[in-house]
Amino acid sequence: MGCCSGRCTLIFLCTFQLVTALERQVFDFLGYQWAPILATFTHIVMVILGLFGTIQYRPRYIVLYAVWVAIWVTWNIFIICFYLEVGGLSKDSELLTFNLSRHRSWWREHGPGCQREEPAAGLRPASGQATVSGVSCVLEHSYVEALHSALQILVALVGFVYACYVVSVFTEEEDSCLRK
């Protein structure tokens, strides 16, 4: 296989997915978003398995990665629908925090260009996080979250295509070795 083969491309895509997933994980932790934290952690593990399978010529791991990527796309479609309030979903519900806290997306107060309004000294919530969203944001937090998910979907779909291609190449090479 050459340097620009499907295998090298899949290695690059898995590495890029790891970087974007770790970035997303950091912001989910900052917002105490427990459901996305668990989903992203599982995603990181599966991408590492896919990367391992690609490097070590293990098609079963790559198939596992491809199946997970299909689930990951579904999860990210749900996140987009959640933040854009499609179909009765409300971004103000505590669905993503498992009703364990009153926290919301970190981007709600710290989005691009946002200026935070601090509540009066006696009105601060016990959790330590302000309940008001940022004021005069360049991009609303729901769009930032939707864009994060859209990027994840795009990379996952390309990764799925390359995973299928690499599995077919690996199995074709195995078949040709068995015929000799």
Side-chain angles (χ1 to χ4, degrees):
M1 288 187 168
C3 182
C4 293
S5 66
R7 181 174 169 258
C8 290
T9 305
L10 186 58
I11 290 170
F12 170 76
L13 284 170
C14 286
T15 305
F16 185 67
Q17 271 188 319
L18 278 176
V19 170
T20 58
L22 287 171
E23 177 265 340
R24 184 175 185 173
Q25 187 79 319
V26 166
F27 290 112
D28 288 341
F29 265 114
L30 289 172
Y32 300 100
Q33 302 274 333
W34 299 114
I37 287 169
L38 292 173
T40 305
F41 175 76
T42 306
H43 178 63
I44 290 169
V45 169
M46 292 299 178
V47 171
I48 290 171
L49 283 174
L51 190 57
F52 175 78
T54 305
I55 292 170
Q56 295 292 320
Y57 294 94
R58 310 273 177 143
R60 288 183 181 166
Y61 289 144
I62 302 172
V63 169
L64 181 65
Y65 163 78
V67 169
W68 169 254
V69 164
I71 296 168
W72 183 244
V73 167
T74 306
W75 168 256
N76 280 288
I77 289 171
F78 165 74
I79 293 294
I80 290 173
C81 293
F82 179 81
Y83 279 106
L84 297 181
E85 297 183 331
V86 175
L89 293 170
S90 173
K91 63 185 170 192
D92 294 324
S93 75
E94 295 179 0
L95 182 66
L96 297 182
T97 62
F98 294 138
N99 293 325
L100 295 175
S101 65
R102 296 183 60 206
H103 293 282
R104 303 281 188 264
S105 170
W106 184 84
W107 295 106
R108 187 177 187 142
E109 295 177 13
H110 304 93
C114 287
Q115 299 171 354
R116 287 187 359 167
E117 277 187 0
E118 294 293 331
L123 301 175
R124 181 168 280 260
S127 64
Q129 185 176 14
T131 55
V132 296
S133 60
V135 179
S136 69
C137 297
V138 174
L139 193 60
E140 189 179 333
H141 78 281
S142 57
Y143 296 124
V144 173
E145 293 284 358
L147 287 172
H148 268 109
S149 291
L151 174 66
Q152 293 291 326
I153 290 171
L154 177 67
V155 176
L157 290 175
V158 175
F160 179 81
V161 169
Y162 272 96
C164 292
Y165 172 71
V166 169
V167 166
S168 72
V169 168
F170 285 177
T171 54
E172 187 176 292
E173 287 176 0
E174 283 180 6
D175 290 344
S176 66
C177 288
L178 294 175
R179 286 187 216 142
K180 289 182 180 180

